Amino acid sequence: MNMYSAYLDEIKERKEQGLQPKPIDSAELTKEIIDQIKDPANPHREDSLKFLIYNTLPGTTSAAAIKSEFLKEIILGEVSIPEITPEFAFEQLSHMKGGSSIEVLLDLALGDDKSIAEQASKVLKSQVFLYDADTKRLEDAYKQGNEIARELLESYAAAEFFTDLPELPEKIDLVTYIAGVGDISTDLLSPGSEAHSRSDRELHGKCLISPKAQEELVELQKEHPGKRVMLIAEKGTMGVGSSRMSGVNNVALWIGRQASPYVPFINIAPVVAGTNGISPIFLTTVDVTGGIGIDLKNWVKKVDDDGNVVVDEAGEPVLEQAYSVDTGTVLTINTKEKKLYKGDEELIDISK
């Protein structure tokens, strides 16, 4: 129990910093946790279950490989864990998104048990992170007359992994937060000086804007349950500077939604905006997370009666507010009409 004891010590240290337990990526620690789960009398069994289910990193980590094989044992009936039924094991695999979980799902889908194969096939139809070796397995099985392999290839060809996704809600209710006036750099969202902490997403999230801003975001969410916070660059562009996925990760961590209940500190779908829109490279990284970037155009150049732009003493154009997005303003995105509303008032077309 050496690694587990060290993990518990680390949890105590992080708690003093206001941090949750660090997500697990170690195969050795995952093995210890599974051994404790298998032992009904182990005093750490309940916590070990929570760590395995909710705090083990998916994908290509060595921890995910161990977890996937354990879930496979449960599905095949080789191990019985009351808290993790075969159905729940499949659900866990469906949230692991690639790597070892795909290999295990293919083992099950191409296996001899028809019922298990059909359940594995249903999960695989929703997965997109397959390697060439995975598709080669499907190709070889198809050529040997495997019916499940044929169904999977037809499903992928029909892009059911996309067409079966749930519809975007027609309305997305928002509450605004002005993150700054003028252009907002990615360095405000993820400072280069904090690059050392990027692998620890919760810790790195503490460097977003400022502690005061983070407190304000939390309070805003408490005051407006059910609404999404929209982070705004007032009179500027959001996300200028270097392309920084960690900046979008931080924004999503604070104002997005959790991608999976079984994967900690990976959030998606943030809504960001700027008077002058979103920096193109930053918008690409927002898109990767399923987020929305809006060009507000809420400040416009003032013109005189002859249509000429009015300038100030410094020769800069004078701006007039077309509509307010002050912090705490409640707005709505209509995804069907692709327009931004304040109550019943249409503010702007956001189809772009």
Side-chain angles (χ1 to χ4, degrees):
M1 207 173 77
N2 291 338
M3 290 207 66
Y4 187 77
S5 296
Y7 186 55
L8 294 182
D9 289 340
E10 181 189 66
I11 289 173
K12 290 178 184 177
E13 292 173 5
R14 289 175 68 85
K15 191 173 183 179
E16 292 173 359
Q17 303 173 56
L19 298 171
Q20 299 296 314
K22 193 172 182 179
I24 297 165
D25 60 4
S26 160
E28 291 76 11
L29 177 56
T30 307
K31 286 177 183 176
E32 281 191 33
I33 285 171
I34 289 173
D35 287 341
Q36 291 171 179
I37 290 171
K38 289 179 177 179
D39 177 7
N42 192 288
H44 299 287
R45 186 176 183 278
E46 185 176 347
D47 284 341
S48 294
L49 275 164
K50 291 176 183 176
F51 290 141
L52 182 76
I53 295 170
Y54 299 106
N55 209 45
T56 303
L57 287 178
T60 57
T61 67
S62 59
I66 302 300
K67 179 177 177 177
S68 296
E69 286 297 325
F70 180 54
L71 294 174
K72 178 182 174 183
E73 291 176 0
I74 292 172
I75 290 167
L76 293 175
E78 297 171 0
V79 177
S80 178
I81 305 295
E83 297 87 351
I84 306 177
T85 63
E87 290 74 22
F88 187 40
F90 270 121
E91 183 180 349
Q92 288 268 293
L93 286 167
S94 74
H95 284 255
M96 293 178 73
K97 304 295 182 187
S100 303
S101 63
I102 298 296
E103 184 178 353
V104 163
L105 285 166
L106 283 171
D107 289 343
L108 298 169
L110 302 178
D112 296 329
D113 189 307
K114 185 177 180 182
S115 175
I116 289 175
E118 289 174 350
Q119 292 179 78
S121 172
K122 184 178 180 181
V123 174
L124 277 167
K125 288 175 182 178
S126 69
Q127 305 296 298
V128 295
F129 298 115
L130 276 70
Y131 291 123
D132 287 347
D134 300 324
T135 53
K136 183 65 167 61
R137 284 186 70 185
L138 284 174
E139 178 187 355
D140 292 344
Y142 167 71
K143 288 178 178 178
Q144 293 168 16
N146 186 289
E147 182 65 17
I148 292 290
R150 182 187 65 78
E151 286 182 14
L152 283 167
L153 291 172
E154 288 180 349
S155 174
Y156 292 146
E160 289 180 348
F161 53 81
F162 177 74
T163 58
D164 286 351
L165 288 173
E167 285 289 320
L168 198 65
E170 182 174 352
K171 292 183 178 180
I172 300 174
D173 293 322
L174 307 169
V175 59
T176 62
Y177 181 79
I178 304 297
V181 177
D183 293 344
I184 291 182
S185 166
T186 52
D187 206 52
L188 184 69
L189 310 175
S190 170
S193 60
E194 299 296 326
H196 61 90
S197 66
R198 285 180 191 157
S199 61
D200 186 343
R201 286 202 178 193
E202 186 191 16
L203 177 59
H204 192 63
K206 299 288 186 181
C207 70
L208 176 84
I209 309 176
S210 69
K212 182 176 181 292
Q214 294 164 22
E215 290 174 8
E216 291 171 345
L217 287 171
V218 171
E219 285 304 312
L220 205 55
Q221 289 164 338
K222 288 179 181 177
E223 291 171 17
H224 297 271
K227 295 182 177 65
R228 307 275 289 281
V229 175
M230 177 166 68
L231 207 66
I232 298 173
E234 179 79 310
K235 296 184 181 179
T237 302
M238 174 66 77
V240 299
S242 62
S243 170
R244 191 165 288 171
M245 190 72 208
S246 57
V248 175
N249 287 341
N250 277 353
V251 170
L253 190 64
W254 285 98
I255 66 167
R257 58 183 176 83
Q258 193 173 2
S260 164
Y262 312 118
V263 184
F265 311 121
I266 297 181
N267 287 14
I268 58 172
V271 182
V272 296
T275 292
N276 301 325
I278 317 296
S279 172
I281 298 176
F282 190 75
L283 182 58
T284 298
T285 54
V286 171
D287 288 346
V288 166
T289 69
I292 298 173
I294 297 176
D295 186 356
L296 291 171
K297 300 177 182 175
N298 59 315
W299 287 88
V300 296
K301 293 177 182 177
K302 183 178 180 179
V303 295
D304 59 23
D305 293 339
D306 297 323
N308 299 312
V309 175
V310 178
V311 297
D312 59 20
E313 294 178 355
E316 295 294 325
V318 175
L319 299 178
E320 288 185 315
Q321 191 176 57
Y323 60 93
S324 173
V325 291
D326 290 345
T327 294
T329 302
V330 174
L331 304 173
T332 301
I333 294 172
N334 187 304
T335 63
K336 301 299 182 185
E337 299 176 7
K338 299 177 183 176
K339 293 177 180 178
L340 184 66
Y341 283 87
K342 182 178 182 180
D344 295 329
E345 178 190 0
E346 179 187 324
L347 298 179
I348 191 171
D349 184 296
I350 55 171
S351 53
K352 180 181 177 182

